Amino acid sequence: ENLKKRGFDCWKPTNFFLVLVPTRELAEQVRDNVLKLVTHSQFDSIAVYGGMSYEPQKKALNKGVQIVIATPGRLIDLYKEHVIDLNQVRAIVFDEADRMFDMGFKEDTKYLLKRIPKDRQFVVFSATLNFDVLNVAYEFGSHPIELNVSKDQAKADNVSDEVFHIGEDAKAQYLLSILRKHQPRQAIIFSNFKNQVQRIAEFLTKNDVPAMGISSLLTQSQRNRVMEQFKNTENNRNILVATDVAARGLDVKGVDLVLNFELPDDPENYVHRIGRTGRAGEKGLAFSLACDKDVEALGRIEKFTGNAVTIGWLDESELATDFKPFPAFEFHRQKNNNSNGKWNKKPHRQDRQAHD
């Protein structure tokens, strides 16, 4: 009887639920969970995102599915090609809503909401909600209800976080030393800069700590391959270097250590980063490497969380001394119509491969 009260009246075969997510990886993760939830039902689902061929997605949508998990850009493309009918949406979910807005999808989400029937259900999920997201929720929701879980808890109790105050030139040494000391089963290292990701991964790999990088510089097939290897605990590729594209939503329960090579400018991103560890009730460790460039970001983080981050310390005996140096950027002279023969920065070898 309760299920009948919660059901959708006059459900038609062409109706579907829509879940909007900010990243391709999260789209696949949500679909994996949907498949588990609807195992004993006739519901079918599809993940729709860029970087993949249109044809399989068009074929599945034309056949008919009940749950569509999508990134905004690809969904709008398919709508404009009349492949998907937004009038058939009965419920829409924004997952990691503030991340979608941070990535520039605010206008896209409003574009979609204006074309979806007003009598749909509208649900917004995020660990943190900024003003823009709440404003849209109230603009498009008839009688919105706000539910706060652990509202006064900025970060999880089971994550222990420390910050190391060091010079910028010492970051590589401390990164390697911390990983060698704690020997994590799975670890994620965050950088603010996508061009830094492959350099960090190469530095660790050259020093016998195998690591992989993931950022927007990789193709979708490369990103999928990296995530598959990272999640497979039977290999030795369980250190992931990432930008904030991996900070939100990815649920890998075995991550026992997170390290910030730079502190994020947005304190909410700090919470999301360290929230990748200490999941499913397990204890987690989070370390940050802070030089003079990170001081202001640290102040914002401590103000946002309401707590001073514990200062970390390594004994001299724990510091790596014999290691191969951190890769430097290469420079070359390139003449073209725009450079006028001036010196241009040449991406590091692995960065160039990411563009290929």
Side-chain angles (χ1 to χ4, degrees):
E1 185 65 29
N2 286 335
L3 288 175
K4 290 181 180 179
K5 291 180 180 179
R6 293 170 183 263
F8 286 82
D9 294 332
C10 304
W11 179 272
K12 299 176 182 177
T14 53
N15 291 158
F16 64 93
F17 300 113
L18 175 61
V19 182
L20 281 183
V21 296
T23 66
R24 304 163 185 177
E25 286 76 22
L26 186 53
E28 284 293 347
Q29 180 176 293
V30 171
R31 183 164 189 254
D32 288 343
N33 283 278
V34 166
L35 290 174
K36 295 173 184 176
L37 291 170
V38 301
T39 300
H40 303 293
S41 74
Q42 295 181 340
F43 276 32
D44 199 2
S45 63
I46 182 175
V48 172
Y49 50 84
M52 303 295 284
S53 172
Y54 279 87
E55 294 310 314
Q57 296 175 1
K58 289 180 179 179
K59 185 177 179 181
L61 290 169
N62 287 328
K63 182 181 177 182
V65 294
Q66 290 72 48
I67 303 173
V68 176
I69 305 105
T71 53
R74 176 56 64 92
L75 183 68
I76 290 175
D77 288 345
L78 293 170
Y79 168 74
K80 289 181 177 179
E81 291 188 26
H82 306 289
V83 176
I84 192 165
D85 182 3
L86 295 177
N87 283 320
Q88 303 303 318
V89 175
R90 298 298 304 274
I92 181 170
V93 175
F94 283 7
D95 195 12
E96 298 292 354
D98 56 343
R99 183 61 179 158
M100 275 199 292
F101 282 32
D102 290 343
M103 294 175 67
F105 291 133
K106 178 181 177 180
E107 294 307 315
D108 286 348
T109 57
K110 293 177 74 172
Y111 176 93
L112 293 166
L113 284 168
K114 288 176 181 177
R115 287 156 178 81
I116 291 171
K118 302 297 182 184
D119 60 349
R120 77 289 182 265
Q121 187 178 30
F122 179 25
V123 186
V124 177
F125 288 103
S126 185
T128 54
L129 286 174
N130 59 36
F131 175 78
D132 273 350
V133 175
L134 289 173
N135 195 38
V136 170
Y138 277 81
E139 179 183 352
F140 289 92
S142 300
H143 302 286
I145 299 172
E146 186 177 347
L147 301 177
N148 290 290
V149 180
S150 301
K151 182 178 180 180
D152 298 324
Q153 186 177 351
K155 64 184 183 67
D157 287 333
N158 55 335
V159 177
S160 173
D161 57 333
E162 297 181 3
V163 60
F164 291 83
H165 291 279
I166 56 177
E168 185 174 9
D169 293 340
K171 283 192 174 186
Q173 180 188 29
Y174 271 73
L175 167 66
L176 184 61
S177 302
I178 290 169
L179 292 175
R180 284 179 175 176
K181 176 182 177 180
H182 291 278
Q183 296 288 315
R185 298 187 308 274
Q186 283 184 310
I188 301 178
I189 300 160
F190 286 106
S191 174
N192 295 349
F193 312 106
K194 59 186 177 183
N195 287 326
Q196 183 87 304
V197 166
Q198 292 299 337
R199 297 170 69 212
I200 295 172
E202 182 178 336
F203 166 73
L204 291 174
T205 301
K206 286 195 306 182
N207 286 286
D208 301 319
V209 182
M212 303 174 296
I214 185 170
S215 73
S216 60
L217 293 176
L218 300 186
T219 65
Q220 186 57 46
S221 59
Q222 288 173 324
R223 286 161 67 167
N224 290 344
R225 185 163 60 251
V226 167
M227 289 307 302
E228 288 173 6
Q229 290 178 313
F230 177 62
K231 291 178 180 180
N232 182 6
T233 56
E234 295 181 1
N235 62 38
N236 66 345
R237 291 278 178 170
N238 300 125
I239 295 180
L240 182 70
V241 188
T243 54
D244 281 310
V245 71
R248 301 294 189 95
L250 293 182
D251 186 13
V252 183
K253 294 182 176 61
V255 176
D256 48 348
L257 188 149
V258 165
L259 194 145
N260 294 306
F261 200 76
E262 302 96 9
L263 285 171
D265 291 327
D266 187 342
E268 292 182 359
N269 282 344
Y270 176 82
V271 173
H272 286 286
R273 286 182 182 188
I274 69 173
R276 296 309 97 200
T277 185
R279 301 178 77 79
E282 297 293 329
K283 294 289 185 181
L285 295 174
F287 301 109
S288 299
L289 306 179
C291 65
D292 55 346
K293 296 178 182 178
D294 301 292
V295 171
E296 291 185 5
L298 179 59
R300 289 191 292 269
I301 289 166
E302 292 183 333
K303 182 179 180 181
F304 179 76
T305 61
N307 295 293
V309 181
T310 302
I311 297 175
W313 178 263
L314 287 179
D315 291 332
E316 189 172 344
S317 61
E318 296 173 323
L319 284 174
T321 54
D322 184 17
F323 57 90
K324 296 177 182 177
F326 196 78
F329 277 116
E330 299 174 5
F331 292 84
H332 73 303
R333 185 181 295 275
Q334 177 184 7
K335 278 191 175 184
N336 55 40
N337 293 333
N338 297 320
S339 68
N340 295 320
K342 296 180 179 179
W343 284 99
N344 290 335
K345 185 177 287 187
K346 178 181 180 182
H348 194 265
R349 176 177 54 81
Q350 290 196 17
D351 292 332
R352 293 203 308 276
Q353 289 176 349
H355 284 284
D356 294 341

